[in-house]
């Protein structure tokens, strides 16, 4: 059995999704308010038998457990796979770079370094960068800071960087791989960063892995980054870590901010253990990197709603760190950059009174509630108890249980009873980020032989690629198949495909390639088999959709759902039924299509 199959067998989708959404039973399935979009009536469903999920509401999408984690945590397939493998206690083939890969990386570091220097010199000397210089002066950056962080400017030109680097012997392909260029549909390439303030991003060893870029006017998006490359992975990057690492270790404390500006302003003012997380909170990878330097993490994130949501997720990482995280509470609407610039002593006193993350969440959750009313009491418990349940340390957990009981003026026993009702979730939450669950009996696997047959044909006969432009990735229920299908669109041969996808699915890929070999079939025959297979995939997709929708509908009627809800479900049902009829008609017109299955 391949490692990925082992992960699939050991992980239960209900456990995983249960950590992100309050699942309720609905017949054989489970339902919840969709964790991806905001809604009042649950249209998010989990199907334990098929180990899949679907949102019938605004998202109208679904997939397997990997697809869920990818969407929810913003991860690539490989990252989601690794996260779940860790949880399942499965060791995956490592992503250790072969020699060739190392050379490629070395080239990327070099081209990035050259670009950083080019941008920096432009900022200091070019007439065209006057606007950028004005801007950073207004932000209060000193000349030393500009040099220390090697800030730069990219000309408002389609090819200035490309020409400059080309003259210095860097190939266009390297520039493309590094994400410095973008390839247009017609195959022409042009500079990705144009007319922007440039922030080179370095890893802990000081190598330039990618760039952040800020617009100099009010246009959106305000920031763009390098795309994911073999040197740049946003979810694992900590801006400023090259300058802050030694200090973090020395002070045994790291301050995590949100943006480049915050970090630069902090360092300029002597707060040299500050780094930025490149997002609204830290990720598991970042927590693991920082843990090696210090376990004391202090979050100084913008106090907006996104920031709070992010902090909720961050609670789980306390178990990785085996330490309490703290939060610097910023004045409403201010970010660290503002506070530091306005009054450094004010910042210092805020930093000295950083509160434990969980106390902060208690405060944030209850500040808008009226805890004398029964409704708000139960609202507070609903939201806070799962957070308390996620704490591994029994003493700290007891502390916060008491705090919660006192806040809502309900006795400890009642709270404890609610906690034990949460218990299954409790142990799951813990295993997400700490110990793997190993004793689960293996479930039989859902077979996706049809998907794999389609892929086998597609991979062996690249000319099929042009035959079916309308084969959607959504038709693949298995994420690993979806991943292979997506990667195949971007490469031209199997070797590059292998390089592109995570090594953990190499075995799966090999099995697919080996599964079908036709030496004697004509290209028309191959084409026909392929078309038939796709048609079946498409039908399977809509049939599934239909069946699931039907179940929900029956459930809704049974539980006496409101007329509006039922009407809504009926409306949603129209599309797939029509689609299924169309597909059937197509098959009748092409009777040979039905016989070509393996
Ligand atoms: Zn949704």
């Amino acid at each position: 059995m391949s490692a990925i199959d082992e992960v699939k067998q050991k992980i239960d989708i209900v456990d995983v999704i249960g950590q992100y959404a309050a699942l309720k039973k609905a017949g054989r399935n489970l339902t919840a308010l969709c964790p991806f979009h905001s809604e009042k009536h649950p249209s998010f469903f989990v199907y334990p038998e098929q180990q899949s999920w679907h949102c019938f509401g605004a998202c109208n999408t679904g997939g397997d457990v990997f697809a869920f984690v990818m969407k929810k945590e913003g991860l690539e397939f490989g990252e989601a796979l690794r996260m779940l493998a860790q949880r399942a206690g499965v060791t995956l083939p490592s992503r250790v770079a072969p020699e060739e890969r190392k050379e490629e990386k070395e080239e990327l570091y070099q081209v990035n370094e050259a670009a950083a220097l080019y941008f920096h010199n432009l900022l200091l000397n070019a007439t065209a960068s006057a606007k950028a210089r004005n801007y950073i002066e207004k932000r209060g950056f000193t000349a030393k800071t500009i040099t220390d962080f090697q800030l730069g400017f990219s000309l408002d030109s389609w090819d200035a960087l490309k020409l400059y680097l080309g003259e210095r012997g860097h190939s266009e392909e390297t520039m493309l791989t590094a994400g410095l260029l973008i390839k247009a549909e017609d195959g022409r390439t042009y500079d990705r960063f144009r007319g922007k303030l440039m922030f080179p991003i370095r890893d802990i060893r000081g190598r330039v892995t990618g760039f952040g870029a800020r617009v100099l006017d009010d246009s959106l998006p305000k920031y763009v980054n390098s795309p994911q490359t073999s040197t740049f992975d946003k979810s694992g990057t900590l801006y400023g870590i090259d300058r802050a690492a030694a200090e973090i270790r020395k002070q045994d404390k790291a301050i995590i901010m949100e943006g480049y500006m915050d970090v630069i302003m902090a360092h300029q003012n002597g707060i040299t253990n500050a780094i930025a997380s490149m997002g609204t909170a830290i990720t598991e990878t970042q927590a693991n990197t920082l843990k090696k330097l210090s376990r004391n993490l202090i979050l100084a994130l913008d106090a907006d709603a996104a920031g709070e949501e992010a902090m909720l997720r961050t609670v789980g990482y306390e178990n990785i760190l085996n330490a309490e995280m703290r939060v610097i509470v910023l004045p409403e609407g201010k970010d660290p950059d503002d506070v530091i610039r306005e009054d450094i002593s004010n910042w210092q006193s805020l930093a000295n009174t950083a509160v434990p993350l969980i106390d902060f969440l208690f405060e944030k959750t209850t500040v808008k509630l009226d805890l004398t009313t029964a409704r708000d009491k139960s609202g507070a418990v609903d939201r806070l108890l799962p957070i308390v349940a996620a704490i591994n340390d029994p003493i700290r957990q007891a502390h916060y249980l008491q705090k919660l009981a006192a806040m809502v003026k309900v006795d400890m026993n009642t709270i404890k009873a609610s906690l034990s009702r949460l218990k299954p979730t409790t142990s799951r939450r813990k295993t997400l980020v700490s110990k793997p669950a190993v004793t689960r009996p293996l479930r039989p696997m859902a077979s996706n032989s049809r998907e794999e047959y389609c892929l086998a044909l597609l991979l062996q006969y690249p000319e099929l690629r042009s035959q079916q432009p309308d084969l959607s990735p959504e038709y693949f229920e298995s994420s690993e198949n979806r991943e292979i299908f997506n990667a195949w669109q971007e490469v031209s041969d199997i070797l590059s495909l292998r390089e592109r996808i995570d090594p953990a699915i190499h075995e799966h890929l090999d099995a697919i390639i080996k599964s079908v070999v036709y030496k004697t079939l004509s290209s028309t025959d191959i084409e026909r088999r392929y078309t038939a297979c796709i048609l079946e995939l498409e039908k399977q997709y809509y049939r599934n959709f239909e069946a699931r929708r039907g179940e929900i509908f029956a459930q809704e009627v049974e539980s006496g759902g409101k007329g509006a809800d039922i009407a809504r479900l009926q409306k949603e049902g129209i599309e797939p039924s029509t689609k299924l009829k169309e597909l059937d008609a197509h098959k009748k017109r092409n009777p040979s299509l039905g016989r070509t299955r393996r």
Side-chain angles (χ1 to χ4, degrees):
M1 182 166 52
S2 74
I4 183 166
D5 289 338
E6 210 183 327
V7 174
K8 279 193 160 180
Q9 285 200 319
K10 287 189 176 162
I11 292 282
D12 187 351
I13 195 168
V14 177
D15 290 346
V16 174
I17 296 184
Q19 285 160 3
Y20 300 90
L23 292 169
K24 290 201 188 82
K25 269 217 147 297
R28 287 181 300 163
N29 306 315
L30 297 118
T31 178
L33 291 176
C34 178
F36 301 114
H37 80 273
S38 102
E39 61 180 3
K40 292 211 175 69
H41 185 97
S43 52
F44 178 86
F45 286 78
V46 177
Y47 309 93
E49 285 161 31
Q50 290 130 325
Q51 290 289 301
S52 66
W53 60 277
H54 199 101
C55 169
F56 290 88
C59 308
N60 191 23
T61 185
D64 60 11
V65 66
F66 300 109
F68 181 87
V69 172
M70 283 163 76
K71 190 168 161 71
K72 192 65 208 168
E73 297 283 345
L75 299 177
E76 303 273 319
F77 173 75
E79 295 167 323
L81 174 60
R82 262 146 230 288
M83 180 174 154
L84 292 174
Q86 195 197 347
R87 180 187 158 123
V90 173
T91 316
L92 293 178
S94 79
R95 245 215 187 285
V96 171
E99 215 44 43
E100 218 174 287
R101 239 353 225 242
K102 253 187 222 162
E103 262 168 44
E104 182 201 287
K105 274 189 165 181
E106 203 45 56
E107 265 179 42
L108 296 192
Y109 292 133
Q110 279 171 16
V111 77
N112 280 336
E113 193 72 57
L117 193 63
Y118 171 69
F119 292 142
H120 185 57
N121 282 328
L122 283 176
L123 178 69
L124 297 182
N125 306 313
T127 341
S129 66
K131 198 172 170 189
R133 283 197 299 269
N134 280 340
Y135 175 78
I136 47 180
E137 233 164 77
K138 245 185 20 222
R139 299 293 294 228
F141 292 164
T142 64
K144 180 173 185 308
T145 296
I146 296 167
T147 314
D148 283 352
F149 285 87
Q150 209 181 17
L151 301 187
F153 176 70
S154 53
L155 293 174
D156 197 2
S157 148
W158 296 100
D159 58 4
L161 179 71
K162 183 168 118 179
L163 292 175
Y164 172 88
L165 292 174
E167 277 168 21
R168 272 146 197 83
H170 296 281
S171 73
E172 205 172 304
E173 207 189 319
T174 308
M175 295 181 229
L176 257 178
T177 317
L180 293 167
L181 300 185
I182 294 177
K183 195 178 213 156
E185 268 182 23
D186 63 4
R188 279 185 300 178
T189 58
Y190 58 93
D191 288 6
R192 177 183 298 271
F193 303 109
R194 300 177 306 279
K196 298 208 163 66
L197 184 61
M198 302 299 300
F199 303 84
I201 298 168
R202 294 172 186 273
D203 64 10
I204 197 162
R205 290 162 62 183
R207 300 173 298 195
V208 182
T209 56
F211 291 88
R214 191 193 193 284
V215 296
L216 289 161
D217 51 26
D218 293 329
S219 64
L220 290 171
K222 206 151 76 168
Y223 286 95
V224 287
N225 292 317
S226 292
Q228 172 107 10
T229 70
S230 58
T231 62
F232 186 70
D233 170 19
K234 194 169 162 230
S235 71
T237 296
L238 291 159
Y239 180 70
I241 190 73
D242 54 313
R243 307 192 63 80
E247 204 57 31
I248 291 173
R249 197 174 269 145
K250 196 169 127 203
Q251 295 184 26
D252 191 15
K253 196 196 296 175
I255 301 182
I256 298 157
M257 300 176 166
E258 212 161 293
Y260 310 115
M261 294 292 187
D262 298 323
V263 168
I264 296 173
M265 191 42 78
H267 280 251
Q268 181 170 305
N269 285 280
I271 307 156
T272 46
N273 60 339
I275 44 176
S277 63
M278 316 279 301
T280 43
I282 60 168
T283 64
E284 198 174 339
T285 319
Q286 289 166 338
N288 276 314
T289 306
L290 286 169
K291 185 176 79 173
K292 293 173 200 149
L293 302 171
S294 168
R295 289 174 188 273
N296 298 312
L297 307 190
I298 304 177
L299 302 167
L301 306 175
D302 302 359
D304 54 17
E308 278 169 45
E309 261 318 301
M311 284 190 212
L312 268 178
R313 258 184 288 136
T314 311
V315 176
Y317 303 146
E318 291 194 335
N319 296 329
I320 296 184
L321 297 165
N322 207 5
E324 190 171 75
M325 276 192 255
R326 282 181 293 151
V327 178
I328 292 177
V329 183
L330 297 164
E332 195 80 26
K334 300 237 162 144
D335 53 33
D337 175 30
D338 301 323
V339 180
I340 295 170
R341 234 171 341 136
E342 284 163 15
D343 182 0
I344 181 76
S345 64
N346 184 27
W347 166 267
Q348 267 143 6
S349 66
L350 289 173
N352 290 337
T353 52
V355 296
L357 173 60
I358 295 185
D359 288 303
F360 173 80
L361 292 171
F362 267 67
E363 168 71 25
K364 277 285 165 188
T365 304
T366 51
V367 72
K368 288 180 205 104
L369 298 179
D370 175 4
L371 290 180
T372 59
T373 69
R375 199 193 57 184
D376 283 6
K377 278 182 186 186
S378 107
V381 172
D382 280 352
R383 205 160 155 78
L384 292 173
L385 203 55
I387 295 175
V388 179
I391 305 173
N392 272 359
D393 179 341
I395 308 289
R396 288 184 58 223
Q397 189 176 63
H399 168 85
Y400 285 107
L401 276 183
Q402 277 160 9
K403 177 166 175 163
L404 182 57
M407 255 170 59
V408 296
K409 298 202 174 62
V410 170
D411 72 51
M412 244 330 239
N413 290 333
T414 314
I415 295 281
K416 273 191 183 151
S418 309
L419 181 73
S420 61
R421 247 175 278 133
L422 267 180
K423 261 283 144 45
T425 324
T426 316
S427 59
R428 276 181 237 135
R429 257 180 190 278
K430 286 177 185 170
T431 54
L432 175 69
V433 286
S434 55
K435 279 181 240 72
V438 273
T439 47
R440 166 183 298 287
L442 300 183
R443 279 173 295 99
M445 281 192 336
S447 159
N448 272 304
S449 53
R450 185 175 290 135
E451 291 183 2
E452 280 141 31
Y453 179 67
C454 261
L455 279 178
L457 287 172
L458 184 59
L459 295 177
Q460 284 191 45
Y461 302 95
E463 63 271 22
L464 290 175
R465 241 197 284 230
S466 56
Q467 303 295 328
Q468 275 297 334
D470 55 340
L471 176 54
S472 153
E474 287 268 312
Y475 296 158
F476 294 95
E477 289 236 314
S478 281
S479 283
E480 64 271 30
N481 291 338
R482 217 179 260 189
E483 181 72 5
I484 291 172
F485 176 75
N486 282 331
W488 187 235
Q489 314 300 309
E490 289 165 30
V491 297
S492 51
D493 56 87
I494 302 275
L495 254 174
S496 331
L497 178 68
R498 272 181 78 87
E499 256 176 45
R500 181 110 193 169
I501 60 174
D502 196 284
I505 45 177
H506 284 172
E507 202 183 329
H508 182 67
L509 173 69
D510 295 341
I512 290 177
I513 295 169
K514 274 189 230 127
S515 66
V516 189
V517 186
Y518 296 119
K519 285 223 169 71
T520 54
L521 286 182
S522 70
S523 59
T524 335
D525 278 337
I526 295 290
E527 220 172 273
R528 220 181 35 228
R529 277 165 199 261
Y530 181 64
T531 315
C533 189
I534 289 181
L535 192 67
E536 278 305 315
L537 267 194
E538 203 177 346
K539 280 184 70 171
Q540 175 184 294
Y541 173 81
Y542 285 107
R543 227 182 274 130
N544 263 337
F545 186 97
E546 183 85 328
R548 289 170 183 178
R549 192 203 57 84
E551 257 178 55
I552 296 161
F553 186 65
Q555 187 70 30
E556 194 69 38
V557 174
E558 200 175 287
S559 66
K562 287 181 226 78
D565 297 329
I566 292 173
R568 178 179 59 86
L569 287 165
Q570 257 163 346
K571 203 169 134 246
E572 278 162 9
I574 291 166
E575 208 264 328
S577 324
T578 321
K579 188 79 191 176
L580 264 180
K581 273 182 208 130
E582 273 171 30
L583 291 171
D584 271 332
H586 179 60
K587 197 163 167 179
K588 272 180 204 125
R589 280 196 309 275
N590 303 277
S592 65
L593 291 177
R595 293 198 299 272
T596 42
R597 278 276 295 129
R598 214 172 3 166

